[in-house]
């Protein structure tokens, strides 16, 4: 493992009985970046996170996190990482400040050091005004920020965020995005799984897509969209009869269709020549297509291409 890699995994295999969840996963995560692992339900995301966070042993393969082997040096790995899941793991009966001071004491800080660290984190996560309120009175977004703050008490090198914004409203999710960006700016490596594709698109430096226990694609969001997500020409058609005829004529080229809205989406290279050719092909008399629009590829399109689904379910 080189110094610029925070995580390196080679050939990870994991089965539960006869069900093979991971079938040889390879990952390389650069230090000080956001790396997002995406995939449909059952693809192996959470199993991968649990192995890298030393909560599961792989059946085969090796992985190193923060310079240490996840099997042979579990204690050293755990001293350098933090794991925050979908649900906030805070004590509702304690105040926000008490939660953080407790975690700091458990991490080995003195009483004075615990107070200082708690105060720093409360300010960093915009929780100072709520510091002396019971955590049970916090909103979902505040609880999630408190949970993340607790995970940072020991100043980890790598933090695993397993669907940290699931169930939050948009303002709370945006606040978490700012927090994640701030973590990377401070040198922390963030390993993110998320069910929101636009979240990965916004935050991740690199993305790996897993399906059926294997990495099927990896790259920056822009690279993946360029390689696997064709541009799409959306057509609004005149009536249902025309819509059916166009869908039948285009066949496998149709990537989206909606009979209620009389729309059809077809792949295109985005050039004016190709758009004109498609319009002339399906509407030679200039009477069937009412409107058309050209859309750049999104991560949803990448998912459709790689996994056959446009939405990532909540768990893996």
């Amino acid at each position: 493992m080189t110094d610029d890699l925070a995580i390196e995994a080679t050939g990870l295999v994991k089965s539960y009985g006869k069900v093979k969840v991971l079938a040889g996963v390879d990952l390389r995560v650069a230090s000080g970046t956001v790396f997002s692992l995406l995939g449909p339900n059952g693809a192996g995301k959470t199993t991968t996170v649990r192995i890298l966070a030393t909560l599961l042993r792989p059946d085969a393969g090796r992985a190193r996190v923060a310079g240490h082997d996840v099997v042979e040096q579990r204690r050293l790995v755990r001293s350098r990482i933090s794991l925050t899941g979908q649900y906030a793991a805070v004590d509702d009966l304690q105040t926000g400040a008490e939660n953080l001071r407790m975690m700091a004491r458990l991490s080995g800080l003195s009483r004075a050091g615990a107070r200082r660290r708690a105060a720093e984190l409360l300010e960093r996560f915009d929780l100072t005004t709520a510091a002396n309120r019971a955590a049970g009175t916090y909103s979902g977004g505040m609880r999630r920020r408190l949970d993340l703050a607790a995970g940072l008490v020991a100043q980890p090198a790598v933090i695993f965020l397993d669907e940290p914004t699931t169930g939050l409203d948009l303002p709370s999710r945006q606040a978490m995005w700012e927090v994640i960006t701030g973590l990377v700016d401070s040198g922390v490596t963030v390993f993110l799984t998320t069910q929101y594709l636009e979240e990965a698109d916004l935050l991740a430096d690199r993305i790996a897509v897993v399906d059926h226990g294997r990495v099927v694609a990896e790259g920056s969001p822009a690279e993946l969209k360029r390689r696997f997500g064709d541009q799409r020409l959306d057509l609004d058609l005149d009536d249902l009869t025309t819509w059916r005829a166009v869908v039948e004529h285009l066949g496998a080229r149709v990537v989206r269709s909606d009979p209620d809205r009389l729309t059809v989406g077809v792949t295109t290279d985005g050039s004016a020549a190709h758009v004109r050719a498609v319009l002339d092909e399906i509407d030679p008399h200039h009477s069937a297509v009412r409107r058309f629009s050209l859309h750049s590829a999104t991560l949803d399109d990448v998912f459709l291409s790689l996994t056959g689904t446009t939405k990532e379910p909540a768990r893996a």
Side-chain angles (χ1 to χ4, degrees):
M1 181 171 178
T2 59
D3 291 339
D4 62 341
L5 290 180
I7 299 171
E8 184 174 21
T10 304
L12 292 182
V13 174
K14 184 66 180 179
S15 297
Y16 297 100
K18 296 182 179 180
V19 179
K20 181 168 283 189
V21 180
L22 300 183
V25 168
D26 299 331
L27 295 172
R28 293 166 64 87
V29 180
S31 297
T33 64
V34 178
F35 185 94
S36 185
L37 189 66
L38 305 178
N41 190 38
K45 302 185 305 299
T46 296
T47 298
T48 300
V49 170
R50 289 174 66 82
I51 288 174
L52 295 177
T54 76
L55 300 178
L56 281 177
R57 286 176 176 260
D59 298 332
R62 298 195 65 180
R64 292 172 66 82
V65 176
H68 305 296
D69 187 279
V70 299
V71 174
E72 298 175 358
Q73 299 171 301
R74 294 171 65 196
R75 181 171 296 182
L76 289 173
V77 172
R78 291 179 179 182
S79 71
R80 302 297 309 281
I81 69 170
S82 175
L83 172 62
T84 297
Q86 181 177 346
Y87 303 102
V90 298
D91 186 339
D92 287 344
L93 298 180
Q94 294 193 91
T95 67
E98 288 169 342
N99 268 280
L100 295 182
R101 289 199 296 266
M102 177 184 69
M103 291 301 299
R105 290 289 284 159
L106 290 173
S107 298
L109 295 183
S110 66
R111 290 185 183 276
R115 285 195 298 271
R116 285 194 299 270
R117 185 62 178 151
E120 291 170 1
L121 290 168
L122 288 166
E123 182 176 359
R124 179 175 182 179
F125 287 87
D126 195 24
L127 292 170
T128 302
T129 58
N132 296 317
R133 282 171 43 196
T137 68
Y138 284 15
S139 67
M142 293 170 65
R143 285 170 55 83
R144 204 67 56 83
R145 296 204 308 274
L146 179 62
D147 189 35
L148 186 52
L152 292 172
V153 163
Q155 299 179 309
V158 178
I159 182 165
F160 294 94
L161 301 180
D162 193 11
E163 300 184 10
T165 64
T166 295
L168 298 183
D169 58 22
L170 183 56
S172 295
R173 287 173 60 205
Q174 290 174 331
M176 283 294 291
W177 296 344
E178 293 180 5
V179 167
I180 292 170
T181 301
L183 290 175
V184 176
D185 289 343
S186 68
V188 176
T189 302
V190 176
F191 190 103
L192 172 71
T193 72
T194 176
Q195 63 173 300
Y196 301 113
L197 299 183
E198 75 277 13
E199 187 166 271
D201 200 355
L202 175 68
L203 296 174
D205 297 290
R206 291 187 69 80
I207 292 172
V209 180
V210 290
D211 194 26
H212 295 96
R214 295 184 182 276
V215 175
V216 294
E218 184 177 345
S220 70
E223 289 170 347
L224 291 176
K225 286 183 282 188
R226 186 168 57 248
R227 287 162 52 197
F228 299 104
D230 293 326
Q231 294 193 69
R232 191 180 77 249
L233 178 65
D234 283 350
L235 308 168
D236 292 351
L237 302 172
D238 192 55
D239 54 50
L240 187 58
T241 300
T242 302
W243 179 88
R244 288 172 176 157
V246 169
V247 169
E248 182 178 359
H249 176 80
L250 292 173
R253 285 182 287 170
V254 173
V255 292
R256 294 191 180 189
S257 61
D258 187 337
D260 295 327
R261 297 183 178 181
L262 301 177
T263 59
V264 174
V266 59
T267 57
T268 176
D269 63 11
S271 68
H274 189 260
V275 170
R276 280 196 298 266
V278 172
L279 292 173
D280 288 343
E281 176 186 353
I282 65 174
D283 190 15
H285 303 297
H286 302 169
S287 60
V289 178
R290 293 184 295 178
R291 288 181 299 275
F292 70 87
S293 56
L294 189 63
H295 297 271
S296 297
T298 66
L299 280 185
D300 279 276
D301 299 315
V302 173
F303 252 73
L304 178 63
S305 173
L306 291 171
T307 69
T309 180
T310 58
K311 182 181 179 182
E312 184 187 28
R315 301 299 296 169

